[in-house]
Amino acid sequence: MRDHEIDTIVIGSGGAGLLAACRAADGGRRVLVLERTPVLGGTTAVSGGMVWVPNSSVMREHGMPDSPEDALRYLELVTEGAVEPWRLEQYVETAPEVVDYLHAETPVRFFPIDRPDYHSDWPGARDVGRTLDNVPFPTADRPGLVDRIRRGSHFDAVTYDERHRWHSPELYDHELVSRRKAEGVLTVGAALVAGLVAACDERGVSFETGVRVRGLLIEDGRVAGVRAQTPHGPVEYRASAGVVLASGGFEWDERLKRAHLGVAGTRPVSPPWNHGDGLLMALEAGAAVDGMSQAWWVPTVSAPGAEYDGSQLTRHLVGERCLPGSVIVNRQGRRFVNEAVNYNDVTKAFLTFDPTRHAYPNAPAWLVFDEAFRRRYPITSVQPSDPVPDWYERGDSPAELARRLGVDEEGLTATLAAFNLHAARGEDPEFGRGTTSHDRYYGDERHGPNPCLAPLEQAPFYAVRVEPGMLGTKGGVVTDVGGRVLRHDDTPIPGLYACGNVSAAPMGPGYPGSGGTLGPALVGGYLCGTALGKNGGAAR
């Protein structure tokens, strides 16, 4: 695309950037998406792809009641008073509109699942419907599309809902999954990206991959384009209407993490390309920032030798910590958290600082389980029928396992003895595991009396190292109601917009439910694209 044909540039091809491009094109804008990597989709494409949307038409169609009032009541608690009320109100109003737009104007399709909100016992929460999963997306009738989309190692060709329902090997529909793979059917985040890319293609949006944007072109106080490094050398791209930053967070930049998160060495589970490029460009242009000490926290496990895009592959630990027959312990061999709490908040317990010892006693920690658990449930990518991998630590007794881990022997032995006594009765008096619908979601409904609790009794005993990680960073540039980037005096930087993890998340320090990252990203992209599309030409 020649420079004079461009009026809108979007940096990044995750869900936020793609929806911004789509909406801007609706308004007649001539849009170019610049993607740093060889394929499209960013972090969205390797994610679970779900969006958290309260009070949507999809909920109503499935007989799942909700209200804006309940959603706001819940979000006010989740965000801990750290987010301006108008931002929460805008989200609750706009998120359902985004779903309606996607269903009416793009091939993207969602369906509600019975995933409870992450604080399912709080006022305004819901047990079903606010989390929307992606209908599998067929690509056979769109030649070449599947090869343009990033795929991850975290999900097979199943919906998130199926992944949950098929948590045991005997329930897994191998025939269906094989057929989807053969036919190029995409699921979860890749399905969402494919639907958005297809919608952009239909609108004439242009894409260039392998292009890393290095700076903004500012003329007469206005952002007029970008400077980028392409496979053919440095290039300047000019944009008369505006530039949208949708380049992701800074979770892969150790210097930025040390400066803003206050902890180093946390493990990202996103593709290894988010180095804060958009954030640094916006700061240079005078942007204000907020929430920089926050991330979308998750506990993680890394199998030695596993790689993705040339970097260590780190997996998000989800169901394994909620299923009956496992615990998480620290260096004292003690439990320190309800393991089944939502992943954002459970990870905060890993980051607890002990001022007496001047240390983080819970990082790293270990997922401990017994032979019965290993034979029944998958653990990260390891199936029950697989040989025991070398990176599992093992011992014939809790004391021997503790010695191998370097944790306190008496502590681990006492912890498991006390845990087993209560777990046999389905009770966890220390942390209340399994007492909420959210806890029980990842439990084993076939197991009673508590689907999240069982004694660890069958030798050998195993342990897997667990470290604090993140889906992405949460803090970023401050934006207004239309996604324009603001300075510290609340005036907009002309021609500059932002959405997704490069912008400050409207969820503050909290996480409302599954899809609580992508929901705000899509809303942000929708707002940016809508604002850019106004007066840009005939609407679709």
Side-chain angles (χ1 to χ4, degrees), residues 20 53 72 76 86 93 222 296 304 327 363 409 445 456 461 518:
V53 179
L72 279 172
E76 286 165 359
W86 72 261
E93 177 183 349
R222 179 180 181 83
W296 305 101
V327 294
E409 293 180 37
E445 71 279 357
L456 286 70
F461 299 88
L518 261 178

Side-chain angles (χ1 to χ4, degrees), residues 360-386:
Y360 293 90
N362 303 331
W366 288 268
L367 178 77
V368 175
F369 50 97
D370 67 355
E371 177 68 7
F373 187 93
R374 187 195 72 79
R375 289 183 176 275
R376 190 166 194 183
Y377 304 116
I379 300 163
T380 66
S381 60
V382 182
Q383 298 299 315
S385 58
D386 292 342

Side-chain angles (χ1 to χ4, degrees), residues 449-468:
N450 186 324
C452 300
L453 295 174
L456 286 70
E457 299 173 321
Q458 186 176 336
F461 299 88
Y462 302 94
V464 171
R465 184 182 177 101
V466 185
E467 296 177 289

